[in-house]
C-alpha cells in the first residue's frame, strides 16, 4: 500500500510539473501578438480580403479566444463574415516541443453575407478557384507551408465548428427586385477535414420558420457529397422568385409546405416520408432521381393523398397571363427562345413550358374533388418526356359510377394542347350536370354512360370551350327531367297545366363538339313524352334545339287548345306531334311553339284525314 501511494504521489507530481510546463510554454509560445501575426496574414492571403480582429484571450484548456472577427467584402464596405468570437483549440503535447499546433476552429454567432451578382457570380466565387500561382506547389508540402509562419504556430485544422450563425442571402439575379433570404440558427461541424478524402459533417438551421438539418460526408477531391437532409414545414413559396412566372404564381397561391427526409448522394436523390401540404390537403411523395447530372433529369415518383381538392390546384394555375404577340410556337426541349411563359398578372394562355426532365410516375388519391364532383379511388399512371405529358391510365369512382380514360398533353405549346379518350359508366346525371353547369343542377336525373374523344387547348374554361373539339355517344337511362324552368316551361308552352317533371326510360344520342357547340342528334323515349332532339347546345350553356315532340294520348288530352288539334295531329296510336323549339340556356330554358310549322302540319294532316274519310266512304 505504501509503495502504491508513493507511485501515485510521483505520478501526481509529474502531472503537476507537466501542467506547469504546459502553462509556461503556452504563455511563452502563444501570445496575443503572435496569434495576431499568424491569423491575419494567413486569412488575408487565402481569402484575398481584409481581416480585422479584436481582443485575444489565451487559456491552456480553453484555447485562444479571438473576439470581434471581421472579414470584409471585396469592393464593398460590408462584412463578408463577422463573428463575436473565433476560438482556436491547440494540441497540448506539441507545446513541450515549443510548437503550437492549432487543429480546431470554432466560430461563435457568425453573420455570413452571401451575395449573388447579376452576372451569376457570387461574392465568394474567387475563393472556389483560388488565387493564381505562377509556380505549382508540391502537393505533400502544401499544408505545412501554408500553415507554418516561422513563429512557432501551425494551423493544421482538422475540425471546424460554427455555432448559432446567421446567413444573409441576397440574389440580384432573381427578378427585377432581387431576392433576400435569411437562414438563422445555423450550426455546423466537420471533423477529420482532409483535401484528399471524405470527411463527415453535420449542420442544422432554420429556413424561414422551418427546421432544417443535414448529416453526411464530403469529398473535396471529387467534389461529391452524401447527406441525409431533413425538412419540417419548409414553405416553397419563400423561393417563388426562382420559378418561372406562371409556376411562381401557382406556388404563391398554393403556398406548399414540405416536410420529410431527402437522401443525397453524388448522382442520386431519394425522398423518405416526404409530405407536401397544400392548404388543407397533404400529399405524400416518394421520389427518386437516378442520375442527378443527366440531361434530361430522370425522375421516378409516386404520389399519394388521402384527400385532394383539384379545384383549388386548378384555380392556382388560372392566374391570368398576358397574351403573347409573338408566335405561339412549340418550345423545343432545352431551348430559350421567345416562347417563354408570359409574366403573371395579365390575360393570356398558360405555357409553353420547357421542362428538362423525364418523369415516370403514378398518383393515387383516396378522395378528390373536381368541378365540385366527389371522386374516390383516383388512379393516374403517367410519363413526361420532351415536354409531352402522357396519361396512360386514369381511373376513378365518380357520382355513383366510374370514369376511365387516357390523354396526351403537350406542355411545350402555349395553351397546353391535349387529346383524350374517356368513358363514363353509370354516373349520376344530376351530379355531372351540377359540376359542369351548376345553374342547371337538379334538372336532369338518371344514370349516364358515355364514350368521348376530346381535343383542344387551354386550362381556363373560357379558353378551353373555344378550342374544344370531339365526338362521342351518350346514354341516360331511367331518368327524369325536373324543375319549373324545364318541365314547367314545356307544360306552359303547350297549355298542359302544371307539370313538375317528365320521366323517361332512355335517352340516347350522338354528338360532335365544334366551334364552342355540341351538335346533338338524339332519341328520347318516355311514358308521356317522346322526342327526337336535334340541334346545338353551346358550351356556354346556350340552347338551339328542335325537340320533335310527341305526346302520349293521356297527356295530349290535357292540352287547352281546340280538340281538333289533338285529333288532326295524332297518329294511329293516339300520340300527338307538336313542333316545339328549345332556346334560352341550360339555366333558363325557353320553349317556343312553332306556329308556322303547326299550321302547316294542321293543314297537311287535315287534308290527309279528309281524303282518308272520303276514300273510306267511297269504298263502303
Amino acid at each position: 500500500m505504501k509503495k502504491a501511494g508513493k507511485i501515485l504521489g510521483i505520478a501526481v507530481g509529474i502531472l503537476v510539473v507537466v501542467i506547469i510546463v504546459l502553462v509556461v510554454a503556452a504563455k511563452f509560445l502563444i501570445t496575443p501578438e503572435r496569434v495576431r501575426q499568424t491569423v491575419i496574414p494567413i486569412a488575408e492571403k487565402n481569402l484575398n480580403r481584409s481581416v480585422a480582429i479584436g481582443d485575444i484571450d489565451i487559456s491552456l484548456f480553453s484555447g485562444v479566444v479571438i473576439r470581434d472577427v471581421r472579414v470584409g467584402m471585396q469592393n464593398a464596405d460590408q462584412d463578408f463574415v463577422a463573428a463575436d468570437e473565433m476560438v482556436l483549440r491547440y494540441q497540448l503535447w506539441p507545446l513541450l516541443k515549443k510548437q503550437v499546433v492549432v487543429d480546431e476552429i470554432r466560430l461563435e454567432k457568425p453573420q455570413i453575407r452571401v451575395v449573388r451578382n447579376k452576372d451569376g457570380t457570387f461574392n465568394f466565387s474567387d475563393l472556389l478557384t483560388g488565387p493564381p500561382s505562377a509556380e505549382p506547389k508540391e502537393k505533400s508540402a502544401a499544408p505545412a507551408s501554408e500553415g507554418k509562419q516561422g513563429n512557432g504556430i501551425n494551423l493544421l485544422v482538422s475540425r471546424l465548428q460554427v455555432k448559432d450563425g446567421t446567413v444573409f442571402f441576397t440574389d440580384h439575379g432573381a427578378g427585377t427586385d432581387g431576392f433576400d433570404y435569411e437562414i438563422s440558427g445555423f450550426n455546423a461541424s466537420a471533423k477529420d477535414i482532409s483535401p484528399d478524402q471524405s470527411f463527415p459533417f453535420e449542420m442544422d438551421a432554420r429556413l424561414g420558420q422551418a427546421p432544417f438539418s443535414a448529416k453526411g460526408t464530403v469529398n473535396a477531391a471529387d467534389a461529391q457529397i452524401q447527406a441525409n437532409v431533413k425538412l419540417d414545414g419548409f414553405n416553397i413559396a419563400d423561393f417563388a422568385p426562382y420559378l418561372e412566372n406562371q409556376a411562381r404564381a401557382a406556388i404563391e397561391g398554393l403556398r406548399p409546405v414540405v416536410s420529410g427526409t431527402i437522401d443525397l448522394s453524388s448522382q442520386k436523390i431519394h425522398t423518405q416520408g416526404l409530405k407536401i401540404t397544400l392548404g388543407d390537403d397533404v400529399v405524400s411523395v416518394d421520389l427518386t432521381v437516378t442520375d442527378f447530372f443527366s440531361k434530361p433529369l430522370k425522375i421516378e415518383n409516386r404520389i399519394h393523398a388521402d384527400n385532394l381538392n383539384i379545384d383549388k390546384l386548378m384555380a392556382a394555375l388560372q392566374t391570368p397571363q398576358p397574351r403573347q404577340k409573338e408566335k405561339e410556337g412549340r418550345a423545343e426541349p432545352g431551348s430559350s427562345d421567345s416562347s417563354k411563359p408570359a409574366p403573371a398578372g395579365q390575360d393570356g394562355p398558360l405555357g409553353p413550358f420547357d421542362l428538362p426532365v423525364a418523369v415516370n410516375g403514378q398518383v393515387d388519391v383516396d378522395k378528390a374533388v373536381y368541378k365540385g364532383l366527389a371522386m374516390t379511388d383516383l388512379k393516374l399512371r403517367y410519363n413526361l418526356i420532351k415536354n409531352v405529358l402522357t396519361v396512360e391510365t386514369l381511373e376513378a369512382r365518380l357520382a355513383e359510377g366510374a370514369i376511365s380514360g387516357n390523354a396526351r398533353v403537350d406542355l411545350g405549346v402555349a395553351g397546353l394542347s391535349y387529346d383524350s379518350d374517356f368513358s363514363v359508366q353509370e354516373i349520376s346525371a344530376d351530379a355531372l350536370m351540377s359540376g359542369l353547369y351548376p345553374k342547371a343542377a337538379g334538372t336532369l336525373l338518371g344514370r349516364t354512360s358515355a364514350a368521348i374523344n376530346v381535343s383542344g387547348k387551354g386550362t381556363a374554361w373560357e379558353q378551353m370551350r373555344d378550342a374544344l373539339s370531339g365526338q362521342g355517344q351518350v346514354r341516360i337511362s331511367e331518368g327524369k327531367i325536373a324543375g319549373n324552368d324545364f318541365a314547367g316551361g314545356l307544360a306552359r308552352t303547350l297549355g298542359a297545366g302544371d307539370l313538375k317533371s317528365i320521366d323517361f326510360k332512355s335517352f340516347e344520342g350522338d354528338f360532335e363538339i365544334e366551334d364552342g357547340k355540341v351538335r346533338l342528334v338524339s332519341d328520347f323515349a318516355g311514358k308521356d313524352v317522346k322526342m327526337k332532339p336535334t340541334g346545338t347546345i353551346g358550351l356556354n350553356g346556350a340552347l338551339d334545339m328542335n325537340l320533335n315532340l310527341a305526346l302520349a294520348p293521356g297527356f295530349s288530352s290535357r292540352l287547352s287548345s281546340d280538340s281538333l288539334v289533338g285529333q288532326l295531329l295524332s297518329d294511329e296510336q293516339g300520340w300527338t306531334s307538336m313542333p316545339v323549339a328549345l332556346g334560352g340556356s341550360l339555366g333558363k330554358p325557353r320553349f317556343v311553339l312553332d306556329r308556322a310549322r303547326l299550321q302547316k302540319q294542321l293543314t297537311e294532316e287535315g287534308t290527309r284525314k279528309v281524303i282518308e274519310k272520303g276514300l273510306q266512304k267511297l269504298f263502303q
Side-chain angles (χ1 to χ4, degrees), residues 316-572:
L317 292 173
Q318 303 313 322
T319 303
Q321 308 294 329
R323 297 190 181 279
Q324 294 173 306
K325 294 182 180 180
E326 58 267 40
K327 65 178 182 179
E328 295 181 352
R330 189 182 193 287
E332 293 298 328
S335 69
S336 57
D337 58 17
S338 60
S339 57
K340 288 185 178 181
Q346 305 175 39
D347 293 335
L350 185 66
F353 293 103
D354 181 13
L355 305 176
V357 296
V359 185
N360 185 39
Q362 64 183 71
V363 178
D364 295 283
V365 181
D366 296 340
K367 296 180 181 179
V369 175
Y370 178 63
K371 289 285 185 181
L373 299 175
M375 294 185 287
T376 59
D377 299 328
L378 173 63
K379 299 182 184 300
L380 181 70
R381 304 294 181 267
Y382 70 95
N383 62 67
L384 174 61
I385 300 174
K386 294 182 178 179
N387 298 321
V388 175
L389 174 64
T390 302
V391 178
E392 298 171 349
T393 59
L394 170 63
E395 301 175 353
R397 301 292 302 175
L398 171 66
E400 303 175 20
I403 184 172
S404 61
N406 58 76
R408 181 183 183 275
V409 183
D410 192 340
L411 307 178
V413 299
L416 313 187
S417 67
Y418 50 84
D419 183 83
S420 60
D421 288 288
F422 289 96
S423 64
V424 172
Q425 301 92 32
E426 298 294 318
I427 286 180
S428 165
D430 181 43
L432 198 60
M433 187 69 74
S434 299
L436 297 179
Y437 199 80
K439 292 182 180 179
T443 61
L444 181 61
L445 310 178
R447 312 304 303 173
T448 303
S449 297
I452 308 168
N453 170 260
V454 175
S455 60
K457 219 178 194 184
T459 54
W461 176 243
E462 292 75 11
Q463 301 166 359
M464 293 172 61
R465 69 187 181 195
D466 295 332
L468 206 63
S469 64
Q471 59 279 325
Q473 301 83 39
V474 60
R475 174 184 171 85
I476 305 175
S477 58
E478 305 298 334
K480 178 186 293 187
I481 298 176
N484 186 57
D485 287 334
F486 198 96
L490 178 60
R492 288 190 293 272
T493 301
L494 299 176
D498 186 26
L499 183 65
K500 294 182 178 180
S501 64
I502 300 174
D503 296 334
F504 62 90
K505 182 175 182 61
S506 66
F507 170 82
E508 296 181 354
D510 296 328
F511 63 87
E512 293 183 354
I513 305 173
E514 190 177 10
D515 300 327
K517 297 178 180 179
V518 179
R519 303 184 185 281
L520 179 66
V521 177
S522 59
D523 184 85
F524 179 99
K527 179 181 178 182
D528 297 321
V529 178
K530 291 181 180 179
M531 291 185 281
K532 292 186 178 295
T534 60
T536 64
I537 303 174
L539 295 178
N540 61 357
L543 298 171
D544 184 11
M545 303 284 293
N546 186 344
L547 298 184
N548 298 307
L549 184 68
L551 306 177
F555 189 88
S556 59
S557 64
R558 299 166 57 181
L559 299 179
S560 61
S561 55
D562 193 293
S563 60
L564 179 61
V565 174
Q567 295 175 10
L568 291 178
L569 298 183
S570 61
D571 59 16
E572 291 80 1

Side-chain angles (χ1 to χ4, degrees), residues 170-421:
T170 299
D171 192 346
H172 295 297
T176 57
D177 299 329
F179 173 67
D180 294 297
Y181 195 76
E182 179 179 323
I183 301 174
S184 60
F186 179 68
N187 299 290
S189 66
K191 62 181 181 179
D192 301 328
I193 298 174
S194 169
D196 302 321
Q197 60 187 12
S198 296
F199 58 88
F201 77 93
E202 294 184 21
M203 69 170 61
D204 62 82
R206 297 191 72 85
L207 304 179
Q209 300 299 317
F212 160 86
S213 65
K215 183 177 181 180
T217 60
V218 175
N219 190 318
D222 297 333
Q224 292 186 354
I225 182 171
Q226 290 185 336
N228 181 273
V229 179
K230 294 183 179 180
L231 294 169
D232 186 7
F234 171 62
N235 195 330
I236 298 178
D238 289 346
F239 288 85
Y242 288 99
L243 303 174
E244 292 291 347
N245 296 305
Q246 292 157 331
R248 179 191 310 174
I251 290 297
E252 289 177 340
L254 292 170
R255 300 197 66 80
V257 175
V258 179
S259 301
T261 301
I262 304 173
D263 287 330
L264 303 176
S265 64
S266 57
Q267 295 187 5
K268 185 176 181 179
I269 297 177
H270 178 67
T271 64
Q272 298 181 29
L274 193 68
K275 296 186 182 299
I276 302 176
T277 302
L278 303 169
D280 297 329
D281 301 329
V282 178
V283 178
S284 299
V285 179
D286 183 7
L287 180 144
T288 301
V289 181
T290 53
D291 188 354
F292 189 71
F293 297 103
S294 67
K295 294 184 178 180
L297 201 63
K298 297 177 182 178
I299 301 174
E300 298 277 341
N301 70 34
R302 180 172 181 174
I303 299 172
H304 175 266
D306 294 332
N307 297 280
L308 187 63
N309 192 321
I310 301 175
D311 289 337
K312 289 184 178 180
L313 300 181
M314 296 300 294
L317 292 173
Q318 303 313 322
T319 303
Q321 308 294 329
R323 297 190 181 279
Q324 294 173 306
K325 294 182 180 180
E326 58 267 40
K327 65 178 182 179
E328 295 181 352
R330 189 182 193 287
E332 293 298 328
S335 69
S336 57
D337 58 17
S338 60
S339 57
K340 288 185 178 181
Q346 305 175 39
D347 293 335
L350 185 66
F353 293 103
D354 181 13
L355 305 176
V357 296
V359 185
N360 185 39
Q362 64 183 71
V363 178
D364 295 283
V365 181
D366 296 340
K367 296 180 181 179
V369 175
Y370 178 63
K371 289 285 185 181
L373 299 175
M375 294 185 287
T376 59
D377 299 328
L378 173 63
K379 299 182 184 300
L380 181 70
R381 304 294 181 267
Y382 70 95
N383 62 67
L384 174 61
I385 300 174
K386 294 182 178 179
N387 298 321
V388 175
L389 174 64
T390 302
V391 178
E392 298 171 349
T393 59
L394 170 63
E395 301 175 353
R397 301 292 302 175
L398 171 66
E400 303 175 20
I403 184 172
S404 61
N406 58 76
R408 181 183 183 275
V409 183
D410 192 340
L411 307 178
V413 299
L416 313 187
S417 67
Y418 50 84
D419 183 83
S420 60
D421 288 288

